[in-house]
Amino acid sequence: DLGFAPERVLTMRLDLTGERYRENPPVFALARALLDRVGGVPGVRRVALEGPGLPTSGWYGAHFTRDGDAGSPPEQYMARRHHVSPGYFAAMSIPLRAGRDFTAADVPEAPRAVVVSEAFARRVWPDAPAVGRRLRSLGPQPTPYTVVGVVGEVEHAGLTTDALRAADIYISVFQSPPRSPAVMNVIARTASARPAELASALRAAIGEAAPGLPPFDVRTMEERLSEQTAGARLLVLLMGAFATLALALAAVGIYGVLAYVVAQRTRELGIRAALGARPGDLVRHVLSQGLRPVLAGVAVGAAGVLALTRLITAMLYGVSPTDPLTLAGVAALLLAVSAAACCVPALRAARVDPQEALREA
């Protein structure tokens, strides 16, 4: 669960490290212009700003203390910091659990407001509501904040790490714009199932709001997620291909061995038929002979998996290394393939003519 809805979302980044945006007032003006211009593009349902990072694409930490703690030194809490515009949580479909979102009243002159994630709220105030509580940032110029809202947990650290999972703090871009690095991300939730089609229109709107500030890294949120899982998907594809090849080689090997065995035992099978063995009896006999070593191999393989689970634990998600359904499913698949490989020789054995087999004897 990512904590947000990545579908129909187009993202692009703006570099604010130039001299023009060194002070906060020009950044505030830019943010207002971006929300106005991009929000007016046909096909854009919601627009928001976030910096310096995007969900799942990295994080930047900050340290806070509870304002008024009497401890010496006060307990510190680390969280991922995000500078967002009003409407960001609605644009990303992040649920608001308590309190409120940022509003137009959260301006530089107003008391500093902050929205925290549920995990951060549980960590700092485990026995009391977080809304209305006060925090203070650490640094050369400590700043007090008042918690105005609590939102759901979001996978900001990426899909391949558990670092600082879901401990997040959100600050209004109209009170504190993103610095270190000074990157602003434009997020547009569109009505189109293919949001990339609006890239040109959004570029034009940003050009009107900020001449000389070209957007870069223009991608949909789904493309960003796909890029993060590309390595894992390639690994799964390769493992699946090699596993399929191994299974096919095993089936061919079983078929070849049993076909040879049936050919060598033609006279024996004919004698069995002459003594009253029915075709079904011959099929069951050959299948039992072929599947007996397969059953032994499945048992040895299952024991090996249980003994080596620690080597694959880090590669699994959503399933335990000893999941009984997975092990039973793999065993059933191997038995089914082996039984299919045994069927042709077994049916051939059932068609043995007793007279021809005895004449050859």
Side-chain angles (χ1 to χ4, degrees), residues 49-346:
L49 307 174
E50 181 185 16
L54 284 163
T56 76
S57 64
W59 54 273
Y60 300 88
H63 290 84
F64 296 83
T65 63
R66 288 183 296 196
D67 198 20
D69 271 5
S72 181
E75 185 174 358
Q76 296 184 17
Y77 302 94
M78 186 176 181
R80 299 176 300 223
R81 62 178 174 88
H82 314 278
H83 304 256
V84 304
S85 66
Y88 167 77
F89 304 112
M92 293 299 293
S93 296
I94 299 173
L96 183 66
R97 303 300 191 191
R100 64 171 177 86
D101 189 1
F102 296 113
T103 67
D106 296 313
V107 294
E109 298 78 16
R112 295 294 180 94
V114 67
V115 174
V116 302
S117 69
E118 287 181 298
F120 186 86
R122 287 194 301 267
R123 180 182 304 173
V124 182
W125 301 283
D127 302 319
V131 176
R133 302 286 176 170
R134 292 174 62 83
L135 293 168
R136 183 174 294 273
S137 64
L138 298 181
Q141 296 180 335
T143 304
Y145 292 90
T146 300
V147 178
V148 299
V150 178
V151 295
E153 302 171 5
V154 176
E155 288 293 347
H156 279 291
L159 305 183
T160 58
T161 177
D162 292 331
L164 288 177
R165 184 179 295 274
D168 298 289
I169 280 185
Y170 302 87
I171 304 168
S172 173
V173 296
F174 291 109
Q175 290 190 322
S176 176
R179 303 292 185 187
S180 302
V183 176
M184 185 89 76
N185 302 294
V186 180
I187 300 170
R189 180 169 293 279
T190 70
S192 172
R194 293 189 293 272
E197 296 176 346
L198 297 179
S200 297
L202 264 63
R203 287 179 184 271
I206 292 175
E208 296 175 0
L213 190 65
F216 66 97
D217 194 17
V218 180
R219 284 183 292 172
T220 66
M221 186 59 69
E222 290 181 304
E223 288 174 339
R224 296 183 185 277
L225 296 175
S226 178
E227 182 181 88
Q228 289 193 33
T229 57
R233 286 186 284 110
L234 177 61
L235 179 61
V236 169
L237 178 63
L238 291 176
M239 292 178 66
F242 284 123
T244 302
L245 178 60
L247 189 62
L249 290 175
V252 171
I254 293 172
Y255 167 78
V257 170
L258 279 182
Y260 176 77
V261 170
V262 169
Q264 294 296 311
R265 298 174 59 190
T266 301
R267 285 174 292 181
E268 174 199 337
L269 296 174
I271 293 173
R272 288 176 178 272
L275 294 177
R278 292 174 295 181
D281 298 328
L282 297 178
V283 170
R284 284 191 293 273
H285 176 69
V286 174
L287 284 176
S288 65
Q289 294 293 315
L291 292 179
R292 194 173 300 161
V294 174
L295 290 171
V298 169
V300 172
V305 168
L306 295 176
L308 300 174
T309 51
R310 65 180 183 277
L311 300 179
I312 62 173
T313 299
M315 302 172 62
L316 301 178
Y317 179 81
V319 62
S320 69
T322 57
D323 180 59
L325 291 179
T326 300
L327 295 179
V330 172
L333 175 63
L334 291 174
L335 290 174
V337 171
S338 301
C342 293
C343 278
V344 175

